Amino acid sequence: MTDTTTTTPDLSGLTVEQKAALTSGESFWRTKAVGDVPSVMLTDGPHGLRKQREGGDHLGIGDSVPATCFPPAVALGSSWDVELVERVGTALGVESSIEDVAVILGPGINIKRSPLCGRNFEYLSEDPIVSGVLGAALVRGIQSQGVGASLKHFAANNQEDDRMRSSSDVDPRPLREIYLRGFQRVVEDAQPKTVMCSYNRINGVYASENRWLLTDVLRGEWGFEGLVVSDWGAVNDRVAALHAGLDLEMPGNGGQSDRSLVAAVADGSLDEDELDVSAVRVARLAAGWAQAHRVEGPLDVEAHHALAREAASRSIVLLKNDEVDGAPLLPLRDDHSLAVIGAFAEKPRYQGAGSSMIHPTRLDDALTAIRAIAPQAAYAPGFSVAADADPAETERLRLEAVAAAAAAEVAVVFAGLPARLESEGYDRDDIELPTDQLALVEAVVAANPRTVVVLSNGGVVRLPFAGAVPAIVEGWLLGQAGGTATADVLFGAVNPSGKLTETVPLRIEDTPAFLNFPGEEGHVRYGEGIFVGYRWYDARQLEVAYPFGHGLSYTSFGYGDATAAVTAEGDIRVGVTVTNTGDRAGREVVQAYTSLPGSGVQRAPRELKGFASVELAPGESREVTVTIRREDLAYWHVRAGRWVVEGGDYVVEVGASSRDVRATAIVSIAGDEVLLPLTRESSLGEVLAHPVAGRLVQQALAGMSEMMEGAASIMPEGVSMERMMASFPIGRIGMMAGGQVTDEMIDGLLAAANAPRG
């Protein structure tokens, strides 16, 4: 249960040295015990607990305690299942509590700006609404057990290349609308106990030293109440970081940072009150953990493995399932003669490399799970995952696999990315599957057209065989129970319902950040602006392999007409009746997108604003309600420096993916008033649109009608003088007015317009 009775610790008796000591780690994973404040442990997640054993290596990679390895975010996000994600979070909290871990470092909700990011397997989506909603569910689950979550990596950390120095140079609108929006949702909805700042600079300023980010936005605008912890080694200047709002530096560094803070207080460059604020936040976290209810062990390993299996099966995305001989190839029958091909079937790729590597309590493989259902299934490895595989051996493995495929009714090929190709710390070079695997798939399909490809990958891959293979299953990285979950889906024990939370492109050259990734000379320019992921592909009308939100089922769903109405709270209530039109029970994820034709600002053709899921028996119909929050309709008004909902008739598109719209509704939204101060640099068009100044200028223009008519008479027919003059600064209008408009008149006009109203 969540503890809500923690009182603010009294640190008045501590010295400056003791307070400084509270703000940095004692060791790699623990904070310091100071006075009555106990030491607490923070340790890695985010899809399982990675706690170092006593006496193990200091990083905890080589010798961590066994823990349930749940599906990483790349898979779990594809479930679009808020309730399931929260249950996984609860399980993470339980395991952390049993192991006396106060904070588990996750979830990671950075946007998948480019498919090349080596850490994309730890992130949920290319869309901030999906990331925010599911991230909040994870935090709620974790913190329901008294354990703290650590929302990361804050912010604009969207690549691994040069991640500890490079500057993410982002304009205000995309920064707010794409890269911060998910963080804002999690903070406001779930209040994580900690937020982890990222390594990188943001527009030239280290995240760890960015007061605008850590204090003005995070605390001032969003109301964050917890503490900010550094990513491990992210602090460049401890004094500057503390002033910016970074409370806890991790890991410990032998007291060097503490001494710098003490010296800064002594010489007056740091106010002791600032140090007190951070020390209290750390002490409050420690006191809260000391008072929290503990979950008694031992861990129910089997129950958590069962949850991992459920989560994995719900995360699998059926990309393609064409008919072969009059029927869809999947699900498989247990009496099919099967050839299971591919090394990943026997030795699963189930998690990514780096700080999130979990020592699983057990590990299921797909080959064993398939043979438990179809005992006679043949197996051929087909390829080697070694980087230096011998060409002759590669050819032998391929021929062996082709022979097995030719002798079977159905071939199931497990293909994917070897672990060395995607990891924390470096980015991928391309989105290609290894050439030997592509050659294997081509050869197997030639030998047996009834071929299923099952993918194991932490980031999207190009699928050149998509046109030739009748069935493709995106298995992502599915955690420790992924092998059994894959068999559940292949044989129909589980009807797949996962949907893509990122677009699968046809080629890397089509991707939004292609010309701006990974940057150069310490800077990466986010030149695509707000057009990230599906927003980019839709705006440019680019063909894709599989669109955002796509995912098939073994049944089918029909959609009725959509309705959209504004609630008393100002939100949009979207309703649509969904019917299971097939012969199997299934689950459909209903997605709601909005657009505003004729908007005064640049927008994507459609943006996801809400989603909901429904489980239906064959023939069953139910109304599904999706609530779109009013604040999610807002764009960041750069000149006003705030969120603004633009008024107008919004198009609400309801569908099964971003490119499979099933129903449309129109809803009228009242806009927020934006009244910017007028200056001499304001354009004539802006002044005319002003409720006060507009009337006065119209009168002045009426007095200039003879001059305007004369100017218009020498222009080609159809040329609009009004449009020509719309961008003309009002301060220079006098030169066009032949003395009829003076500077005094303009200044009086501006004063009247900017005077307080009401």
Side-chain angles (χ1 to χ4, degrees), residues 432-511:
E432 303 297 319
L433 287 167
T435 55
D436 59 337
Q437 293 187 37
L438 292 175
L440 173 68
V441 171
E442 183 179 0
V444 167
V445 173
N448 187 343
R450 297 169 62 87
T451 293
V452 180
V453 172
V454 180
L455 297 168
S456 298
N457 48 301
V460 297
V461 293
R462 192 173 69 90
L463 302 173
F465 50 77
V469 174
I472 304 174
V473 175
E474 178 54 88
W476 302 120
L477 308 179
L478 290 172
Q480 68 180 53
T484 312
T486 300
D488 289 340
V489 168
L490 288 175
F491 286 93
V494 171
N495 191 350
S497 62
K499 302 267 190 175
L500 295 175
T501 60
E502 57 190 301
T503 307
V504 181
L506 289 172
R507 56 186 200 140
I508 188 62
E509 292 84 358
D510 293 336
T511 59

Side-chain angles (χ1 to χ4, degrees), residues 17-83:
E17 288 79 6
Q18 288 175 310
K19 288 184 285 191
L22 281 173
T23 68
S24 69
E26 174 188 57
S27 62
F28 208 82
W29 299 114
R30 299 197 70 91
T31 64
K32 297 188 186 78
V34 177
D36 294 331
V37 180
S39 169
V40 298
M41 173 173 275
L42 303 84
T43 197
D44 275 323
H47 56 270
L49 182 66
R50 192 174 71 83
K51 178 188 175 184
Q52 159 191 6
R53 291 183 191 272
E54 292 295 330
D57 67 286
H58 76 286
L59 294 178
I61 293 177
D63 192 22
S64 56
V65 300
T68 309
C69 181
F70 292 97
V74 62
L76 194 60
S78 294
S79 72
W80 298 65
D81 190 329
V82 178
E83 185 271 339

Side-chain angles (χ1 to χ4, degrees), residues 108-190:
I109 66 163
N110 295 90
I111 292 296
K112 299 185 183 188
R113 175 178 177 248
S114 168
L116 296 178
C117 177
R119 211 169 180 178
N120 273 355
F121 58 83
E122 282 192 46
Y123 303 141
L124 289 161
S125 180
E126 67 189 20
D127 181 83
I129 299 296
V130 175
S131 298
V133 170
L134 298 183
L138 278 167
V139 170
R140 284 194 302 270
I142 291 168
Q143 296 193 164
S144 71
Q145 304 305 304
V147 175
S150 194
L151 184 66
K152 64 183 189 180
H153 305 87
F154 191 58
N157 175 196
N158 309 102
Q159 65 187 59
E160 294 297 284
D161 184 84
D162 203 21
R163 64 176 175 162
M164 300 191 75
R165 303 179 304 170
S166 69
S167 175
S168 300
D169 296 341
V170 198
D171 291 337
R173 272 196 71 194
L175 182 59
R176 291 284 193 159
E177 294 181 27
I178 304 296
Y179 299 102
L180 296 186
R181 194 168 218 152
F183 285 97
Q184 181 175 359
R185 181 67 165 257
V186 178
V187 168
E188 293 181 343
D189 282 13

Side-chain angles (χ1 to χ4, degrees), residues 403-706:
E409 290 179 82
V410 179
V412 182
V413 180
F414 285 77
L417 295 175
R420 68 180 183 276
L421 294 184
E422 47 186 359
S423 169
E424 178 182 355
Y426 57 87
D427 294 320
R428 294 160 64 192
D429 296 325
D430 52 48
I431 57 171
E432 303 297 319
L433 287 167
T435 55
D436 59 337
Q437 293 187 37
L438 292 175
L440 173 68
V441 171
E442 183 179 0
V444 167
V445 173
N448 187 343
R450 297 169 62 87
T451 293
V452 180
V453 172
V454 180
L455 297 168
S456 298
N457 48 301
V460 297
V461 293
R462 192 173 69 90
L463 302 173
F465 50 77
V469 174
I472 304 174
V473 175
E474 178 54 88
W476 302 120
L477 308 179
L478 290 172
Q480 68 180 53
T484 312
T486 300
D488 289 340
V489 168
L490 288 175
F491 286 93
V494 171
N495 191 350
S497 62
K499 302 267 190 175
L500 295 175
T501 60
E502 57 190 301
T503 307
V504 181
L506 289 172
R507 56 186 200 140
I508 188 62
E509 292 84 358
D510 293 336
T511 59
F514 176 66
L515 295 177
N516 291 287
F517 188 97
E520 58 190 12
E521 297 184 359
H523 289 265
V524 53
R525 175 67 184 153
Y526 284 46
E528 65 281 0
I530 62 171
F531 295 96
V532 177
Y534 65 91
R535 292 166 169 82
W536 168 266
Y537 300 105
D538 288 352
R540 300 195 65 219
Q541 300 183 9
L542 290 173
E543 291 298 315
V544 299
Y546 295 101
F548 175 87
H550 171 76
L552 303 178
S553 169
Y554 294 151
T555 189
S556 54
F557 299 96
Y559 286 61
D561 294 335
T563 61
V566 179
T567 69
E569 295 77 22
D571 301 329
I572 303 175
R573 182 190 181 278
V574 181
V576 64
T577 298
V578 180
T579 302
N580 184 339
T581 56
D583 57 5
R584 288 174 177 262
R587 170 179 172 266
E588 175 71 336
V589 178
V590 178
Q591 302 154 47
Y593 299 81
T594 66
S595 60
L596 180 59
S599 172
V601 296
Q602 190 178 53
R603 294 177 184 260
R606 65 186 53 83
E607 295 182 302
L608 182 82
K609 295 301 179 184
F611 59 91
S613 63
V614 60
E615 299 197 35
L616 298 169
E620 183 183 6
S621 297
R622 286 175 58 188
E623 183 180 43
V624 178
T625 299
V626 179
T627 299
I628 298 174
R629 297 183 181 184
R630 177 179 172 86
E631 57 262 34
D632 289 336
L633 297 175
Y635 74 95
W636 185 256
H637 195 299
V638 176
R639 292 182 62 205
R642 64 181 175 89
W643 291 103
V644 170
V645 174
E646 187 179 7
D649 291 336
Y650 282 73
V651 177
V652 180
E653 296 176 308
V654 181
S657 83
S658 61
R659 294 194 174 182
D660 185 4
V661 174
R662 304 291 186 87
T664 302
I666 308 294
V667 61
S668 182
I669 301 295
D672 297 332
E673 183 179 60
V674 180
L675 198 59
L676 298 173
L678 295 179
T679 71
R680 294 180 67 87
E681 286 299 302
S682 297
S683 71
L684 181 59
E686 291 166 346
V687 174
L688 285 170
H690 192 279
V692 175
R695 295 192 303 272
L696 300 176
V697 172
Q698 286 285 7
Q699 295 170 8
L701 289 178
M704 298 165 56
S705 59
E706 183 177 334

